[in-house]
Amino acid sequence: MKRPRRPDIAYVALVGGSFVLALAASWAAPQIDNQAYDWMFRLYEPEPWQTEAALLAIDEESLATFGGLRNIRGPMAKALVQVAGAGPKAVAVDLILAEPSVEADDRALEEAFRTTPGLVLSAQLISGGARWEEPLPRFARHAAAVGHVHAEPDHLDSIGRALPLERQNYRARRWALALEALRVSRGAQITESPEELQVGGVRVPAHIRDGRLMRIRYVPPTMPPLERVGLERLLAEPALAAKFAGKVVFVGLTAQGAVRDWLFTPYSPSIPMMGVEIHANAYETLAEQRFLTDAPSWAVLGFAALLSLGAGLAFSQARLWQAYLAALGLLAAAHVVPYQCFTRGKVFSFATPVAAAWFSSVTAAGWQHLVVRRRLRRAEADRLRYQQTIHFVTHEMRTPLTAIQGTSELMTRFALPEEKRKQMAELINSESKRLARMIEIFLGVERLSAGQVELKKESFDAADVVEACVKRARPVAERKRIELRAEIMGENLALTGDRELMEYAVYNLLTNAVKYSPEQTRVTISAERRDGRVRVAVEDQGIGIDRKEIRRIFQKFYRTRKAEQSGEAGTGIGLSIVEQIVTQHGGTIEVRSAPGQGSCFTLVLPAVVSVSVAEHS
Ligand code: ADP
């Protein structure tokens, strides 16, 4: 079973940060939630119901026929008498009758109101909420209730989604026209608690904290519209009054343009709905108890946090394709859950979970891609290094092995004179020793660089090291007819450390010098003591090194372009070993080189102090 990986702190912080960012973004853009709400509103088709509200519409025809709104009271009085005859449950008049008009009309209207069952009149706050504009007392006298007619358009996009069921100023409080119409039609009382209102068995969830806002569940366009009769038509055709039997009648202006009393709705963001219709729709919401309430913020936050957590875990624990699948699922959930909630009457933020799912998934995926890529790159580099090490070992070992093999074959195949046999046996012996030494050095250096071994601490002379190396390198130099010159200056060239390793380092510089020089040139190796340091320099007249590449030649496996082109075999590991050896001895390497001008590698090593004391004595 795969052990769950412990996620990185940086990763946790990043995914957490993306969650916070998602919250901030969704809170900074509430219009997204509004748009999502409207979209769900249009998408969701509620079960059709029998509507109860009806409209007595003061439409364009009515205004045209009766000479405008100023002269409407007389005809309205006549129409109301017709309506009352049909037996409605209640009649709500969405007109502010605060000013007297022609006395004869007012009297007729007052008379009509007197016989209207369940009359609800309208009031509104004016002068910035300082004053209630109320119906004239002569009208109000006959009203069972007076309700306010404020609908609340959204301050961001002027779409009417909700209605405050209660409005008040310091003097008086009024319930909404629709709520009063419900109360009157049910012959009930309104009882209130901070969370809700109750009217004749209807519990209205409208928290006082939110100003008792109630979202309006508009009658969907898929249903037959609310019953509506124009005032002028009703007077012309009194039989139409029968349509109002048992209904709650809303009387008001439907002629657009007469008064600016309209709002856009989620169903019609471009065609406005008149105020009286909005009140009638609010009445339907109340009567049908089709309430849309906000899901609690903790649920939204919790859901969004779960989505982020899911994305974070998926990309850190699962395989990449599984993580992508999981992210897809989370995104789908983020989109679908708000809609599912909507169909159950809960308004769930859309922007918050969607933003959380997207931000976190993208962040987690991005991070994992980077990490996976980095891991791949590292694995690739490890593989390459391993390959090159193998290459180095095999290449370096081939020469002594070939010599051993060839010589031993000669010895077994031919009867050779004793003298020759002895020579050959010696060769085999020295080559196998060389092989053993090489393995030891290689392993030793690897262990040295891994900090696994202590350096040997013996005393030796740099002059001896130089001499031994020159002896070994001479045959190689002669093959290219390169003159090998050794210059030992002064006598006290004592060093401490591992002589064998030091010899390896110097020999490496010498063979490099020969390797990267053309035929018939000169390689000079010198050793001297200066300023308490022993300097061993190897100078050649070879191909040289580009200035930009000098720093890199000490990297493992780095070879200059010129070296690659020279056709000389190499692994690029030698100098990295040399550098390690010198560093372990407390020394440094100086390189002076220019392309085509030759190179000079100088080992600068600390000289032994006791020797310098002996010098003075
Ligand atoms: P190798 O010689 O096996 O390639 P080294 O680690 O010894 O590996 O050297 C690394 C690189 O440094 C060489 O490939 C070569 O490009 C460059 N280099 C080393 N010594 C010399 C030199 N004397 N002249 C020119 N280039 C050199």
Side-chain angles (χ1 to χ4, degrees), residues 17 48 79 112 114 144 153 203 244 265 274 306 344 371 434 540 571:
R114 200 171 61 78
R203 296 162 64 116
F244 294 122
T265 71
M274 292 304 292
L306 277 181
R344 288 164 179 75
V371 167
R434 200 172 130 205
D540 62 47
T571 56

Side-chain angles (χ1 to χ4, degrees), residues 516-579:
Y516 300 116
S517 293
E519 297 197 347
Q520 290 181 317
T521 51
R522 184 194 306 139
V523 170
T524 312
I525 179 163
S526 63
E528 62 171 330
R529 184 189 167 111
R530 203 197 297 164
D531 307 329
R533 316 236 126 202
V534 172
R535 302 172 65 90
V536 179
V538 177
E539 191 168 4
D540 62 47
Q541 301 170 328
I543 56 175
I545 304 161
D546 208 278
R547 225 163 59 91
K548 277 184 260 159
E549 289 184 285
I550 284 187
R551 262 183 316 124
R552 307 191 59 189
I553 54 174
F554 293 100
Q555 289 170 7
K556 257 187 192 171
F557 309 118
Y558 185 82
R559 303 198 70 206
T560 61
R561 217 142 48 109
K562 263 178 143 15
E564 294 276 24
Q565 287 163 355
S566 72
E568 291 287 354
T571 56
I573 203 173
L575 280 184
S576 78
I577 295 177
V578 171
E579 194 190 30

Side-chain angles (χ1 to χ4, degrees), residues 577-599:
I577 295 177
V578 171
E579 194 190 30
Q580 277 177 42
I581 293 172
V582 173
T583 315
Q584 295 287 338
H585 282 82
T588 53
I589 307 176
E590 290 171 4
V591 186
R592 195 160 37 78
S593 183
Q597 312 259 312
S599 318

Side-chain angles (χ1 to χ4, degrees), residues 40-50 216-224 267 288 290-292 339 342-345:
M40 292 189 270
F41 216 102
R42 291 192 288 272
L43 190 68
Y44 174 61
E45 239 178 74
E47 281 287 303
W49 69 88
Q50 191 61 48
I216 305 171
R217 173 76 259 187
Y218 290 94
V219 174
T222 47
M223 262 172 62
Y267 280 132
E288 283 294 313
R290 293 186 181 243
F291 301 115
L292 284 161
Y339 179 71
F342 185 88
T343 63
R344 288 164 179 75

